[in-house]
């Protein structure tokens, strides 16, 4: 039986690879005209890399990216507040954490697909149910009929809006700039992600290979209307490396986006349509786990899928994934608020708390996520 996936993002492509491995054939309908990745990096934590190891792709991903050995939260001047080290977890799970350019990851996923047919320039605009089949209407005028459907079409999912029209997105009131720049990595920043927390603003950066650094900046803003952004003012109290990284990035490659998440929905499937990834449980990016959770979804879906009993397959999938994915949504939301406190006294309290939190608590939390 042919499996139809709407959306060729990380979740959709990974699901297609896993379904191929199980001997199923799939097709992907993607709205874009071509696979053009945004100029940004991505962290593939141990839980995601475990799935890619299962697919036999870990060596290619490791070769195209860089291994991360730690993540540090700092003050604006880069003085450490808290460090999470990945080496014990790497030993425990026999898997590395990798930082990689999104484009490189996309290339690897696409080049390993063998039987999946990809239809580009197919933007789904509506779904109609007709007895046991779904009539899918695309913006290019095409109409197809399918029995089983996977909605991997991201946070603004059309498939979710069809299944659960009352689902709501939450505005974090934070906006994000992302960039990739060629920059000589010094031993100080090699293999580590640094995220500096200021007042209402933060800046993170991580090498994604020997030559390039991926950086991101977030600021609290209720609206971007009539705003001019002056990074020099925004980051005046930060280590000068922040401005060096921003200024060394070609302006037209900097990606600017609004940060929102999906208020948890009760159900991820209905009849023979199932959601995965951001379509089902989009989180704010504060834990760097959104794509990792989409990848975990794809794995569990491929393991539970039984075309003779679709309802039971989707129910098993949701049972295995629901609590963890939604706890990531919840914790990420709170972490984002904590990172953007604006009151000086609260910042002092928060920083003391971060400094005093024993390392083993950070490790335990990561272990629960990576498992
Ligand atoms: C600033 C930022 C940093 C992040 N950093 C990390 C990180 O370091 N690690 C991590 O794990 N996660 C990270 N994430 C989250 C991660 O990017 C997402 O969770 C992940 O991309 C979700 O994958 P997905 O396949 O579910 O959705 P998407 O990647 O959004 O893919 C959806 C696909 O569906 C297509 N599509 C949408 N609508 C339609 C339609 N109507 N018809 C046809 N096709 C359609 C889209 O074009 C797209 O290709 C970050 C997110 C942000 C915003």
């Amino acid at each position: 039986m042919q499996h139809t996936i709407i959306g060729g993002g990380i979740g959709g492509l990974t699901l297609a690879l896993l379904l191929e491995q199980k001997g199923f054939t799939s097709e992907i309908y993607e709205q874009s005209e071509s696979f053009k990745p945004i100029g940004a990096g991505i962290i593939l934590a141990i839980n995601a890399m475990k799935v890619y190891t299962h697919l036999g792709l870990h060596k290619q991903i490791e070769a195209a990216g860089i291994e991360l050995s730690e993540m540090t939260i700092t003050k604006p001047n880069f003085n450490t507040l808290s460090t999470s080290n990945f080496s014990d977890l790497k030993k425990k799970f026999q898997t590395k954490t990798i930082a990689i350019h999104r484009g490189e990851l996309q290339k690897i996923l696409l080049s390993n697909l063998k039987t999946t047919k990809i239809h580009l320039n197919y933007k789904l605009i509506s779904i109609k149910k007709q007895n046991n089949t779904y009539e899918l209407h695309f913006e290019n005028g095409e109409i197809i009929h399918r029995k089983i459907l996977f909605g991997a079409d991201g946070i603004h999912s059309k498939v979710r809006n069809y299944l659960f029209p009352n689902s709501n997105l939450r505005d974090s009131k934070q906006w994000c700039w992302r960039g990739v720049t060629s920059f000589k990595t010094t031993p100080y920043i090699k293999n580590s992600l640094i995220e500096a927390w200021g007042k209402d603003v933060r800046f993170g950066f991580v090498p994604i290979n020997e030559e390039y650094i991926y950086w991101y900046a977030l600021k609290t803003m209720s609206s971007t209307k009539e705003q001019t952004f002056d990074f020099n003012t925004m980051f005046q109290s930060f280590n000068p490396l922040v401005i060096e990284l921003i200024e060394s990035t070609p302006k037209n490659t900097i990606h600017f986006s609004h940060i929102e998440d999906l208020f948890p929905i009760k159900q991820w499937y209905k009849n023979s349509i199932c959601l995965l990834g951001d379509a089902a449980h989009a989180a704010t990016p504060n834990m760097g786990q959104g794509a990792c959770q989409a990848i975990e979804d794809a794995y569990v879906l491929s393991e539970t899928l039984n075309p003779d009993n679709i309802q039971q397959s989707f129910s098993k999938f949701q049972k295995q994934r629901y609590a963890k994915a939604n706890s990531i949504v919840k914790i990420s939301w709170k972490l984002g608020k904590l990172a953007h406190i604006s009151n000086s006294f609260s910042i002092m309290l928060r920083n003391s708390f971060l400094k005093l939190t024993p390392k083993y608590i950070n490790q335990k939390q990561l272990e629960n996520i990576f498992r």
Side-chain angles (χ1 to χ4, degrees):
M1 185 184 287
Q2 173 102 315
H3 294 293
T4 304
I5 303 168
I6 305 294
I10 294 171
L13 293 176
T14 306
L15 178 63
L17 283 161
L18 287 155
L19 291 177
E20 280 192 6
Q21 198 186 47
K22 289 266 172 209
F24 295 117
T25 47
S26 317
E27 52 177 2
I28 295 178
Y29 288 87
E30 164 59 44
Q31 66 180 359
S32 313
E33 283 173 12
S34 63
F35 281 104
K36 266 190 262 145
I38 57 163
I42 190 160
I43 313 300
L44 295 173
I46 287 173
N47 50 330
M49 285 305 292
K50 274 248 169 236
V51 176
Y52 289 133
T53 304
H54 173 81
L55 278 167
L57 303 183
H58 56 300
K59 293 279 175 227
Q60 290 173 50
I61 293 173
E62 286 167 19
I66 212 162
E67 182 182 353
L68 272 195
S69 52
E70 62 178 23
M71 188 190 131
T72 304
I73 294 175
T74 73
K75 289 184 177 177
N77 59 7
F78 293 174
N79 282 349
T80 300
L81 289 171
S82 156
T83 298
S84 302
N85 191 290
F86 300 138
S87 44
D88 285 348
L89 294 163
K90 173 183 163 184
K91 260 191 230 142
K92 183 164 190 143
F93 293 102
Q94 294 288 303
T95 308
K96 296 174 183 169
T97 296
I98 301 292
I100 187 171
H101 194 288
R102 281 180 182 254
E104 291 298 325
L105 175 64
Q106 194 178 59
K107 253 193 249 163
I108 293 170
L109 300 182
L110 282 167
S111 67
N112 281 281
L113 283 171
K114 292 186 180 75
T115 53
T116 304
K117 178 129 184 57
I118 298 182
H119 305 268
L120 293 171
N121 203 12
Y122 273 75
K123 180 177 183 171
L124 180 76
I125 49 169
S126 66
I127 304 176
K128 286 181 190 138
K129 192 163 191 307
Q130 290 183 334
N131 305 319
N132 284 337
T133 57
Y134 294 99
E135 188 173 271
L136 310 180
H137 292 246
F138 294 92
E139 200 177 58
N140 60 11
E142 293 283 330
I143 299 172
I144 61 170
H145 295 88
R146 293 294 183 267
K147 280 205 157 80
I148 301 174
L149 197 64
F150 296 97
D153 50 343
I155 186 165
H156 299 284
S157 169
K158 267 269 177 283
V159 182
R160 184 188 66 240
N161 288 345
Y162 163 73
L163 292 182
F164 311 113
N166 295 325
S167 57
N168 288 313
L169 296 182
R170 272 193 300 199
D171 176 3
S172 73
K173 307 230 172 351
Q174 293 178 6
W175 291 75
C176 179
W177 293 263
R178 284 181 275 179
V180 171
T181 178
S182 168
F183 206 84
K184 189 140 185 57
T185 53
T186 63
Y188 175 56
I189 51 179
K190 198 165 167 24
N191 301 105
S192 59
L193 183 151
I194 294 175
E195 189 170 297
W197 288 7
K199 201 173 181 172
D200 259 354
V201 59
R202 70 190 134 130
F203 186 89
F205 61 101
V206 59
I208 47 172
N209 55 36
E210 291 301 329
E211 197 191 336
Y212 286 96
I213 287 190
Y214 157 53
W215 61 262
Y216 53 91
L218 287 114
K219 180 160 174 50
T220 308
M221 291 185 284
S222 41
S223 145
T224 51
K225 273 187 208 144
E226 293 161 29
Q227 291 251 19
T228 49
F229 305 110
D230 175 7
F231 289 118
N232 281 301
T233 311
M234 218 186 279
F235 294 108
Q236 62 184 350
S237 65
F238 281 63
N239 185 303
L241 181 61
V242 169
I243 290 299
E244 278 182 59
L245 286 171
I246 296 174
E247 285 184 348
S248 67
T249 310
K251 272 205 173 56
N252 60 348
T253 64
I254 297 177
H255 184 78
F256 183 52
S257 58
H258 183 206
I259 301 297
E260 47 192 355
D261 77 0
L262 174 66
F263 191 79
I265 52 176
K266 289 203 176 99
Q267 187 81 3
W268 291 349
Y269 67 94
K270 205 176 191 177
N271 301 321
S272 51
I273 303 185
C274 189
L275 305 170
L276 70 143
D278 276 10
H281 46 72
T284 47
N286 306 307
M287 290 170 79
Q289 268 289 320
C292 299
Q293 292 304 301
I295 294 161
E296 273 197 46
D297 281 354
Y299 173 74
V300 176
L301 254 181
S302 71
E303 288 296 309
T304 50
L305 189 64
N306 171 6
D308 296 329
N309 197 340
I310 282 296
Q311 281 296 300
Q312 196 187 54
S313 312
F314 292 169
S315 155
K316 276 190 187 166
F317 158 67
Q318 178 170 320
K319 221 178 194 164
Q320 282 191 44
R321 293 286 304 129
Y322 190 85
K324 181 174 177 183
N326 279 319
S327 85
I328 301 275
V329 173
K330 222 183 196 172
I331 302 170
S332 289
W333 182 264
K334 287 187 181 159
L335 200 60
K337 297 291 162 202
L338 191 70
H340 283 225
I341 289 175
S342 58
N343 174 288
S344 301
F345 181 67
S346 306
I347 290 177
M348 195 185 73
L349 282 181
R350 176 198 69 194
N351 290 356
S352 309
F353 174 76
L354 283 173
K355 272 191 162 167
L356 292 172
T357 303
K359 280 207 166 75
Y360 75 86
I361 293 191
N362 291 341
Q363 293 292 112
K364 196 78 211 148
Q365 280 168 345
L366 286 177
E367 197 178 321
N368 288 338
I369 295 165
F370 295 166
R371 194 179 300 281

